């Protein structure tokens, strides 16, 4: 780049998020669809947190981790969907540079924390199935708290480095991000600063926050499946597998879409496909997780039924109290 062109490069005030492309004719439909997805996601995940806190039968490490996963999913969705809904409602797809970097930071932090928490949950299932006699002594409440706190803390600390680099970058030409949220790769494509350092750092962090937890989770489930196959009775195998099937489904959906997004090359022909897979792991995964746990987990279904019965009984007693004699 010529010196005069470099002098015109500045840290931008705003970026333009191009979203899913030219969908102006479907704007209302997209808005209603995303609003429904966000509402169901929030209600489903908050309901699981409430059930885990309120029902004493769910006061176990496994459900403590599940409550934290639902909390993460709530925060995770809230970094992207409210901004996306506002852009459909107002027609303003711009986002400030600080807002963009902040969105990237929190998105990466919650995603990294979720990777670690899924690894912790797989370790919990490994102990429960492969070391049942030692489970109570190994997975104490103190250990559960430490593992959960570490998942949140490491996720957030690891994702402060790249945004601090980006805040110093200069951008030239059109400030248009070809995505529906501020992801790292589209931002780097717009920068005229030297991105080699931040690319290397992000690669190392990606290994630490994505690949390492994934390999740990994979190894845990290899051991779990091997242990289940050694159980002589089919009833015993089915009972053991039912304790981890929900988590295994969540892990498969989350990592399957996440890895696909970052494995698909960002060529002009495949960018729309990349956005579709990004839509799956950023928006649909937090939606399906509470559905998976509520439909496939007997304890959660029973806790939900009890909560509904109590709510119905309370409503009926309130109506009787308010009815004049």
């Amino acid at each position: 780049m010529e010196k005069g062109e470099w002098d015109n490069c500045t840290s931008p005030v705003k970026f333009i998020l191009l979203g899913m492309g030219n969908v102006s004719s479907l704007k209302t439909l997209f808005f209603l669809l995303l609003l429904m997805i966000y509402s169901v996601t929030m209600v489903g995940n908050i309901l699981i947190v409430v059930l885990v806190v309120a029902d004493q039968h769910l006061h176990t490490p496994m459900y403590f981790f599940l409550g934290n996963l639902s909390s993460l999913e709530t925060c995770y969705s809230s970094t992207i969907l409210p901004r996306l809904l506002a852009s459909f409602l107002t027609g303003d797809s711009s986002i400030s540079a600080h807002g963009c970097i902040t969105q990237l930071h929190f998105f990466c932090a919650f995603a990294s924390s979720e990777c670690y928490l899924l690894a912790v949950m797989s370790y919990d299932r490994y102990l429960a199935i492969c070391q049942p006699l030692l489970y109570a002594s190994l997975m104490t409440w103190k250990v559960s708290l430490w593992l959960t706190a570490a998942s949140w803390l490491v996720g957030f600390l690891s994702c402060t480095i790249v945004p601090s680099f980006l805040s110093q970058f200069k951008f030239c030409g059109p400030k248009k991000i070809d995505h529906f949220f501020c992801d790292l790769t589209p931002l780097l494509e717009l920068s005229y600063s030297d991105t080699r350092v931040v690319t290397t750092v992000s690669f190392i962090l990606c290994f630490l926050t994505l690949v390492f937890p994934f390999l740990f989770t994979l190894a845990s489930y290899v051991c779990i499946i091997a242990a289940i196959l050694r159980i002589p009775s089919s009833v015993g195998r089915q009972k053991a597998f039912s304790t981890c099937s929900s988590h295994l489904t969540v892990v498969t959906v989350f990592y399957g879409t996440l890895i696909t997004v970052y494995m698909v090359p960002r060529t002009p022909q495949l960018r729309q496909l990349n956005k579709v897979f990004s839509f799956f792991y950023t928006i649909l995964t937090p939606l399906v997780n509470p559905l998976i746990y509520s439909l496939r987990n007997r304890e959660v279904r029973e806790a939900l039924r009890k909560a509904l019965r109590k709510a119905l009984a309370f409503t009926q007693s309130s109506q009787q109290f308010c009815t004049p004699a």
Side-chain angles (χ1 to χ4, degrees), residues 77-132:
S77 296
S78 298
T79 61
I80 295 174
L81 274 173
R83 180 68 194 80
L84 193 56
L85 286 168
S87 68
F88 277 116
L89 190 63
T90 64
D92 181 14
S93 58
S94 64
I95 183 171
S96 68
H98 290 299
C100 189
I101 294 172
T102 301
Q103 185 187 61
L104 174 65
H105 167 67
F106 281 105
F107 166 74
C108 291
F110 290 129
S112 300
S113 297
E114 182 163 345
C115 290
Y116 280 112
L117 189 60
L118 288 174
V120 167
M121 293 174 76
S122 69
Y123 175 66
D124 173 73
R125 292 301 82 205
Y126 164 78
L127 290 180
I129 294 172
C130 299
Q131 306 287 339

Side-chain angles (χ1 to χ4, degrees), residues 278-318:
S278 296
F279 185 86
F280 270 94
Y281 90 88
T282 58
I283 295 174
L284 292 186
T285 301
L287 170 69
V288 300
N289 283 0
L291 297 177
I292 291 170
Y293 276 106
S294 60
L295 294 175
R296 298 179 64 89
N297 191 290
R298 183 176 57 83
E299 287 84 358
V300 173
R301 292 200 305 270
E302 184 59 33
L304 181 58
R305 277 195 289 267
K306 287 197 295 184
L308 290 175
R309 283 198 296 266
K310 287 182 181 179
L312 183 60
F314 177 78
T315 302
Q316 291 174 344
S317 63
S318 299

Side-chain angles (χ1 to χ4, degrees), residues 76 104 107-108 111 179 181-186 206 210 255-266 274 277-278 281-282:
Y76 186 63
L104 174 65
F107 166 74
C108 291
H179 218 313
F181 72 101
C182 293
D183 202 3
L184 177 61
T185 305
C206 182
L210 174 61
Y255 277 113
T257 53
L258 183 63
I259 291 172
T260 303
V261 166
Y262 294 104
M263 289 293 288
V264 173
R266 280 187 59 83
N274 189 283
F277 282 114
S278 296
Y281 90 88
T282 58

